[in-house]
């Protein structure tokens, strides 16, 4: 199967007939002509405006002239800014009749950097995940070491939310597909979650099981290390450790105003 690439296409804003495209268009497709044909299809009978610049393999972690909160799913073939493909899903048909033959040579970016490749890298692998700013809980925070025991109760809630809201579910599913395809190493996974997996296969199985639980027929996800339920004895110790003990309040003497628990008693006057 041919892999789609992300392109950022900038048109001449003075001749752009659709105001949505004046800041630029984000499209994922097989090549430039494929992407331009999908934009031309959105314009209907109007002519595609002159193309000023095309950036290939654009990183979503880098600066964009638009807010990343309003992106579609960039791993789908289709237009992800404006977020057209959130409503249409991935584009299946290929029709290049609306694409011009002459356009600027694309400026090719290097492949997205992984955090482990260079100490000075500002971009991290999870910055590349589509909609990561809106999906931090299901993609990162739910899997953090401090939250792993709570995952047993929060995972069913997330599954129900994905089933009830198809748009949200599509975003979570495609983001998980991106993560599974990326294959973060155990060290990269530990970076944002502080949860350690023994080897790559264990982490791969964990991510696939999580996706199949949310969107497939798997009855239970694979819970991360450290999520085992507490023994009754440990549960009692944890409960006692959370209790806050305060010293009792002073016993009020007759004729003395009521005292708060932290107030020092004062003897009545004239005694």
């Amino acid at each position: 199967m041919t892999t789609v690439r992300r392109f950022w296409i900038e048109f001449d804003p003075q001749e752009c007939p659709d105001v949505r495209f004046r800041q630029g268009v984000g499209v994922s497709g097989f090549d430039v002509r494929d992407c331009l044909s999908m934009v031309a299809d959105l314009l209907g009978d109007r002519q595609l405006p002159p193309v000023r610049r095309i950036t290939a393999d654009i990183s979503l972690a880098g600066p964009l002239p638009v807010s990343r909160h309003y992106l579609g799913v960039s791993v789908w073939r289709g237009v992800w800014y404006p977020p057209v493909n959130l409503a249409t899903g991935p584009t299946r048909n290929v029709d290049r009749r609306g694409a011009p033959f002459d356009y600027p040579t694309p400026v090719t970016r290097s492949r997205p950097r992984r955090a482990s490749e260079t100490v000075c890298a500002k971009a991290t692998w999870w910055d590349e995940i589509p909609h990561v700013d809106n999906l931090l809980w299901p993609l990162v925070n739910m899997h953090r070491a401090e939250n792993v025991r709570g995952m047993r109760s929060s995972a069913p809630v997330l599954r129900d939310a994905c089933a009830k809201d198809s748009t949200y579910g599509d975003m979570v599913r495609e983001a998980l597909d991106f993560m599974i395809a990326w294959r973060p190493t155990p060290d990269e996974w530990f970076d944002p979650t502080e949860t350690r997996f023994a080897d790559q296969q264990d982490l791969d199985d964990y991510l696939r099981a999580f996706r199949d639980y949310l969107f497939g027929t798997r009855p239970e996800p694979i819970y991360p290390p450290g999520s085992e339920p507490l023994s009754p004895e440990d549960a009692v110790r944890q409960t006692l450790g959370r209790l806050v003990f305060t010293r009792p309040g002073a016993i009020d003497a007759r004729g003395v105003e009521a005292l708060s628990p932290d107030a020092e008693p004062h003897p009545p006057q004239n005694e």
Side-chain angles (χ1 to χ4, degrees):
M1 182 180 293
T2 305
T3 303
V4 297
R5 299 171 63 191
R6 284 196 299 261
F7 293 87
W8 184 259
I9 302 172
E10 300 172 43
F11 298 109
D12 184 342
Q14 302 300 323
E15 300 188 39
C16 189
D18 194 319
V19 67
R20 297 177 300 169
F21 302 153
R22 290 179 182 171
Q23 289 182 288
V25 184
V27 198
S28 293
F30 304 126
D31 52 32
V32 176
R33 289 202 65 223
D34 184 39
C35 292
L36 288 173
S37 67
M38 288 184 279
V39 179
D41 185 59
L42 294 177
L43 292 174
D45 297 333
R46 294 171 293 181
Q47 187 176 3
L48 198 70
V51 180
R52 296 180 59 181
R53 180 183 173 89
I54 301 174
T55 304
D57 303 317
I58 188 166
S59 171
L60 300 185
L64 288 175
V66 296
S67 172
R68 284 190 290 173
H69 293 286
Y70 301 102
L71 303 183
V73 183
S74 65
V75 295
W76 282 346
R77 178 177 175 269
V79 177
W80 43 267
Y81 183 83
V84 174
N85 64 7
L86 284 181
T88 63
T91 304
R92 305 295 183 186
N93 60 311
V94 180
D95 183 359
R96 306 190 180 193
R97 289 176 294 179
F101 286 94
D102 56 330
Y103 43 76
T105 301
V107 178
T108 304
R109 282 196 176 184
S110 60
R111 67 182 177 85
R113 296 176 301 175
R114 294 195 179 198
S116 59
E117 290 179 350
T118 170
V119 177
C120 299
K122 293 183 179 179
T124 56
W125 68 270
W126 62 88
D127 288 325
E128 297 291 330
I129 302 173
H131 298 287
V132 68
D133 289 341
N134 296 323
L135 300 176
L136 279 176
W137 172 249
L139 301 181
V140 178
N141 292 340
M142 181 184 291
H143 311 274
R144 288 181 59 84
E146 61 195 37
N147 298 324
V148 291
R149 285 200 172 88
M151 185 177 175
R152 294 180 179 271
S153 58
S154 56
V157 175
L158 175 62
R159 182 178 57 180
D160 292 342
C162 291
K164 291 178 181 178
D165 188 336
S166 60
T167 299
Y168 180 75
D170 287 343
M171 293 169 63
V172 174
R173 183 176 61 251
E174 293 306 317
L176 283 173
D177 285 345
F178 182 94
M179 292 171 67
I180 291 169
W182 183 282
R183 295 193 72 201
T185 66
D187 286 341
E188 289 174 332
W189 184 256
F190 182 80
D191 198 356
T193 65
E194 298 182 350
T195 300
R196 177 71 68 183
F197 281 85
D199 55 39
Q200 184 70 56
Q201 189 60 51
D202 286 348
L203 178 54
D204 291 346
D205 292 344
Y206 170 78
L207 291 175
R208 289 192 179 92
F210 187 60
R211 185 200 186 283
D212 292 342
Y213 169 74
L214 293 179
F215 304 105
T217 58
R218 187 182 178 94
E220 289 281 334
I222 296 176
Y223 293 106
S227 63
E228 298 78 12
L230 294 174
S231 66
E233 295 79 8
D234 289 339
V236 170
R237 292 192 194 97
Q238 186 181 78
T239 301
L240 291 175
R242 291 176 179 172
L243 292 177
V244 178
F245 295 94
T246 59
R247 62 187 178 86
I251 300 175
D252 296 341
R254 185 170 52 185
V256 179
E257 295 180 355
L259 297 174
S260 69
D262 294 328
E264 294 294 335
H266 296 282
Q269 294 181 355
N270 302 326
E271 286 188 11

